[in-house]
């Protein structure tokens, strides 16, 4: 695994040993960013179920100003910390070793808006996608923001989360990437 593009392009990232997580491959990561926009001008990303942090780190490398990483697993959290330090993004990140549901409840109390939300929960735990609805209902995602969900083929996600409508789906093996954007975006 490595950072695919941007200011940290080529930087190798440590993967998590074992099979408790599924790191997004470089090929899929590159495709994701080709879909959602190769580079960003500021904003804040939320990487729920961050694992080793590949998606959030990639968004920082491509111009996101800040990223918040949520990861409950102790081994994964340690690797996430190492990857953030290696990429020298400590000043641009917040890392929380906490359950995603509790993390989202805490984030709802903060004065923060996300431009990019990555959600890659354990594949067969569909209830975690409700966290996206919670963020949308509480207006924590910017109108021009993007929600990206990574899920198994067997998981069917809704056509929309409030004003955020499914705009594109891509399949990579047994993985589906679903991209949601706001229907009230200018020019649509």
């Amino acid at each position: 695994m490595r950072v695919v593009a941007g200011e940290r392009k080529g930087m190798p990232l440590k993967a998590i040993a074992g099979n408790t997580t599924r790191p997004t491959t470089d090929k899929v990561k590159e495709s994701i960013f080709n879909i959602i926009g190769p580079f960003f001008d500021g904003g804040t990303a939320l990487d729920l179920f961050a694992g080793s942090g590949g998606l959030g780190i990639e968004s920082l490398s491509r111009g996101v100003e800040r990223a918040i990483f949520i990861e409950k697993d102790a081994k994964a959290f340690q690797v996430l910390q190492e990857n953030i330090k290696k990429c020298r993004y400590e000043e641009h990140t917040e890392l929380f070793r906490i359950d995603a549901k509790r993390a989202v409840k805490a984030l709802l109390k903060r004065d923060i808006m996300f431009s990019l939300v990555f959600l890659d929960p354990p594949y067969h735990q569909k209830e975690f996608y409700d966290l996206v609805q919670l963020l949308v209902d509480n207006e924590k995602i910017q109108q021009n923001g993007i929600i990206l969900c990574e899920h198994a083929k067997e998981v069917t996600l809704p056509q929309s989360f409030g004003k955020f409508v499914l705009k594109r789906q891509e399949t990579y093996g047994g993985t589906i990437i679903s991209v949601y954007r706001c229907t009230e975006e200018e020019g649509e």
Side-chain angles (χ1 to χ4, degrees), residues 166-177:
L166 180 64
K167 295 290 185 178
R168 189 160 171 186
Q169 273 190 328
E170 296 291 331
T171 304
Y172 303 93
T175 299
I176 295 180
I177 304 295

Side-chain angles (χ1 to χ4, degrees), residues 74-93:
K75 287 180 187 174
F77 191 79
Q78 183 178 354
V79 170
L80 171 62
Q81 288 176 307
E82 290 172 23
N83 283 336
I84 295 293
K85 186 174 183 177
K86 184 176 192 176
C87 292
R88 300 180 312 280
Y89 280 136
E90 300 97 330
E91 306 264 326
H92 302 279
T93 58

Side-chain angles (χ1 to χ4, degrees), residues 47-60:
D47 194 348
L48 282 167
F49 307 95
S52 59
L55 292 173
I57 290 170
E58 188 73 33
S59 66
L60 286 163

Side-chain angles (χ1 to χ4, degrees), residues 111-146:
D111 183 22
I112 192 166
M113 295 271 298
F114 298 104
S115 53
L116 202 48
V117 175
F118 297 109
L119 189 76
D120 184 11
Y123 269 8
H124 298 290
Q125 296 186 17
K126 192 175 176 193
E127 70 275 7
F128 284 121
Y129 295 99
D130 294 343
L131 297 174
V132 172
Q133 191 64 56
L134 200 54
L135 290 166
V136 169
D137 290 347
N138 286 276
E139 299 181 350
K140 291 296 179 184
I141 304 173
Q142 294 174 352
Q143 185 136 327
N144 64 346
I146 299 167

Side-chain angles (χ1 to χ4, degrees), residues 5-108:
E7 66 182 9
R8 301 290 192 269
K9 180 180 179 176
M11 179 80 66
L13 298 175
K14 188 174 179 182
I16 301 157
N19 58 3
T20 56
T21 63
R22 310 165 319 281
T24 303
T25 65
D26 290 348
K27 180 182 176 191
V28 172
K29 195 171 11 173
E30 189 167 15
S31 297
I32 286 170
F33 284 92
N34 285 338
I35 293 167
I36 65 174
F39 296 96
F40 305 97
D41 187 18
T44 302
L46 173 61
D47 194 348
L48 282 167
F49 307 95
S52 59
L55 292 173
I57 290 170
E58 188 73 33
S59 66
L60 286 163
S61 181
R62 293 171 183 250
V64 167
E65 276 178 275
R66 295 197 55 70
I68 295 177
F69 295 85
I70 310 298
E71 178 53 58
K72 184 173 93 170
D73 182 80
K75 287 180 187 174
F77 191 79
Q78 183 178 354
V79 170
L80 171 62
Q81 288 176 307
E82 290 172 23
N83 283 336
I84 295 293
K85 186 174 183 177
K86 184 176 192 176
C87 292
R88 300 180 312 280
Y89 280 136
E90 300 97 330
E91 306 264 326
H92 302 279
T93 58
E94 293 179 56
L95 284 65
F96 297 97
R97 185 172 165 240
I98 187 173
D99 172 77
K101 290 178 184 178
R102 288 182 54 209
V104 168
K105 285 180 184 175
L107 290 169
L108 294 180

